Amino acid sequence: SQSDTFMQTVQAGMQAAADRAGVEMIMGNTENKLDKEASMIDDYITRGVKAIVITPISADGSIAALKKAKEAGITIFCFNTCVNDPTIPSGYLVTKNADLGIKSGEAAAKFITEELGGKAKVGLLNCDQFEGCPPRKEGFLAQLKALPGVEVVADQAGWLADKAQPVSEAMLQANPEINILWAANEGGTVAHANAVKTLGLGGKVFVFGTDMNNQMGQMLQAKDDILQGVTGQAPYQMGYDSLAAALEVLGGKTVEAVTNTPTIYFGRGNDALIKQFMDTEGNAIFK
């Protein structure tokens, strides 16, 4: 998918690696449709590509098409997501989804303890229908379990900002005791922050979330004090390193079967790190 900031930044990293190596990169967008993914892979086989660097739609449903490409002599390299057949990819770069929730959960627990007297009613926006999302929520909630004064009172699906904002607003209206919100992805985080602002709840309801982009950076530095922190991936690094690693495999090298890319917590007040991200529009490679 090229419709969100995360994937656009991954693409920028891949293009930079391709340009540096002097290779041609053919970009494709599956639009999250298995039949289109299979058709595109068939097209790549016909065109004789040397490698396919991919975030498969389904751990099981994408196996057949990628296995066909593998049998045609094409190197398969996964990023972000992969398939449940370890014989197919030559490597896999991934952010531990649990880490995305854990780091925001740690920050939320600290905030609740220091700013809210250890008590909070929590509302969640999840993206549980996608394979990588449940571990994010589990990681976040695990950090709150040690606080007996915390209760999750709402947990609803919402991951596209425009569609999730009404869900967040309804959640807040139905549960006026909520004072902490968390979302599992970029769209849900934006939806929560906008809902709090629209309902005039700034200073009463505080948002933590997932994924980092320049919009998040602006929200973290806004005077409304709504968005407190997000845990982001390093998408530029993921894109750059995954394509570079695929080229290493083509050159005869063996790479690690799974390589974890870093997660970075961006908290309100950490202006130097936020500035580093925003100055490069996310194209910084964080070590």
Side-chain angles (χ1 to χ4, degrees):
S1 172
Q2 294 159 284
S3 60
D4 63 40
T5 305
F6 176 81
M7 286 299 178
Q8 290 166 5
T9 309
V10 169
Q11 179 180 336
M14 288 185 174
Q15 191 64 62
D19 291 346
R20 182 173 183 179
V23 302
E24 180 185 2
M25 183 175 73
I26 305 167
M27 182 60 61
N29 183 358
T30 64
E31 298 176 354
N32 208 37
K33 298 176 182 177
L34 271 175
D35 59 342
K36 186 169 184 179
E37 180 183 73
S39 176
M40 288 173 58
I41 291 171
D42 281 341
D43 179 58
Y44 290 155
I45 294 171
T46 301
R47 296 170 75 167
V49 303
K50 301 298 184 185
I52 294 175
V53 184
I54 185 171
T55 176
I57 293 170
S58 171
D60 294 315
S62 299
I63 288 177
L66 288 175
K67 187 174 183 179
K68 183 178 179 182
K70 175 86 170 181
E71 291 172 348
I74 298 172
T75 293
I76 309 298
F77 203 95
C78 292
F79 73 94
N80 192 50
T81 62
C82 206
V83 290
N84 285 332
D85 184 342
T87 68
I88 291 176
S90 296
Y92 177 24
L93 263 73
V94 63
T95 301
K96 286 185 178 180
N97 279 292
D99 287 349
L100 290 167
I102 288 170
K103 288 190 176 179
S104 287
E106 290 172 345
K110 185 174 186 291
F111 182 89
I112 292 167
T113 300
E114 296 179 355
E115 304 295 333
L116 303 178
K119 297 180 180 180
K121 303 292 185 183
V122 181
L124 310 177
L125 280 175
N126 69 65
C127 50
D128 286 353
Q129 78 171 65
F130 301 102
E131 293 179 5
C133 286
R136 300 180 182 186
K137 184 170 71 177
E138 292 164 8
F140 178 79
L141 293 176
Q143 305 311 303
L144 302 185
K145 286 182 179 178
L147 301 178
V150 174
E151 180 185 359
V152 176
V153 297
D155 181 3
Q156 295 180 245
W159 59 89
L160 297 175
D162 56 343
K163 295 181 179 179
Q165 183 174 340
V167 178
S168 180
E169 290 177 5
M171 180 188 299
L172 288 166
Q173 290 167 335
N175 303 277
E177 72 276 20
I178 287 177
N179 54 0
I180 292 289
L181 292 171
W182 175 82
N185 80 324
E186 170 190 333
T189 304
V190 171
H192 268 331
N194 287 341
V196 172
K197 190 169 186 177
T198 298
L199 296 176
L201 295 174
K204 297 179 181 178
V205 180
F206 306 94
V207 178
F208 292 83
T210 311
D211 294 331
M212 178 63 173
N213 57 33
N214 280 16
Q215 182 182 14
M216 299 289 196
Q218 292 167 358
M219 287 181 168
L220 286 168
Q221 294 180 318
K223 294 181 180 179
D224 57 26
D225 198 31
I226 294 173
L227 184 61
Q228 299 302 308
V230 298
T231 301
Q233 305 179 59
Y236 186 89
Q237 179 177 344
M238 180 181 286
Y240 190 101
D241 289 353
S242 59
L243 193 136
L247 294 177
E248 289 183 357
V249 172
L250 289 177
K253 294 183 180 179
T254 300
V255 301
E256 294 289 335
V258 179
T259 302
N260 291 313
T261 59
T263 56
I264 308 116
Y265 179 73
F266 298 85
R268 175 171 289 274
N270 194 345
D271 293 329
L273 184 61
I274 294 170
K275 184 177 186 300
Q276 181 186 9
F277 184 96
M278 294 179 69
D279 283 352
T280 63
E281 295 186 346
N283 292 355
I285 296 180
F286 292 93
K287 296 298 183 182

